[in-house]
Amino acid sequence: MSEIGELLLGIVILLGALISALSAFGLIRLPDVYLRSHAATKSSTLGVLLILSGAFLYFAFYVEHISAKLLLGIIFVFITAPVAGHLNGRAAYRSGVPLWSESTNDDLRPALEKEYKDVQQEKQTERTLHK
């Protein structure tokens, strides 16, 4: 029983390492900042979470030690990595970094144009009120 559990945890950790390696490959091969951000956040988050979860379960079941540091690491990565990737993509889009030439949809453009139009109307209203 013990050897089977260790083997399963080893497979979980190895799977996490493979997904993290795939993420690194995606960072090198993907064509634009948005796709690279996707590779950096989605797959690397899953890979790191599998590795940390495997280590946490190993310590919990075989060493009989609940590691608060590993638990905090899991929570921290799960919360911060996707948010950071989203903010990087948003900053790149708002600063004018072009999409990949073969991208088919730009779902954010209409929303930003509406936001820009609303801001311009607010400025115009403020100018007329201050006169």
Side-chain angles (χ1 to χ4, degrees):
M1 179 72 175
S2 175
E3 293 173 359
I4 294 173
E6 287 180 3
L7 180 65
L8 290 175
L9 289 175
I11 290 172
V12 168
I13 292 172
L14 182 63
L15 183 63
L18 290 174
I19 291 173
S20 294
L22 184 66
S23 174
F25 185 71
L27 283 172
I28 295 168
R29 297 290 298 169
L30 292 173
D32 71 348
V33 69
Y34 307 105
L35 295 172
R36 288 180 185 147
S37 176
H38 181 77
T41 56
K42 303 286 184 180
S43 57
S44 66
T45 300
L46 178 62
V48 170
L49 288 177
L50 285 173
I51 292 169
L52 291 177
S53 298
F56 178 79
L57 292 173
Y58 175 79
F59 282 118
F61 290 123
Y62 294 100
V63 183
E64 297 179 2
H65 172 73
I66 303 297
S67 175
K69 291 178 184 178
L70 281 173
L71 201 56
L72 287 173
I74 291 168
I75 293 168
F76 182 76
V77 168
F78 185 71
I79 292 172
T80 59
V83 172
H86 172 75
L87 291 177
N88 283 337
R90 181 179 167 151
Y93 189 87
R94 288 181 177 256
S95 64
V97 175
L99 295 170
W100 181 36
S101 61
E102 295 184 27
S103 292
T104 57
N105 287 341
D106 186 0
D107 294 335
L108 192 55
R109 179 159 308 282
L112 285 180
E113 287 173 353
K114 182 184 179 306
E115 179 183 323
Y116 179 75
K117 191 183 295 184
D118 291 344
V119 167
Q120 293 302 323
Q121 286 177 350
E122 276 185 29
K123 287 182 180 179
Q124 186 65 27
T125 305
E126 286 179 10
R127 286 184 197 135
T128 58
L129 291 176
H130 289 299
K131 287 184 179 181

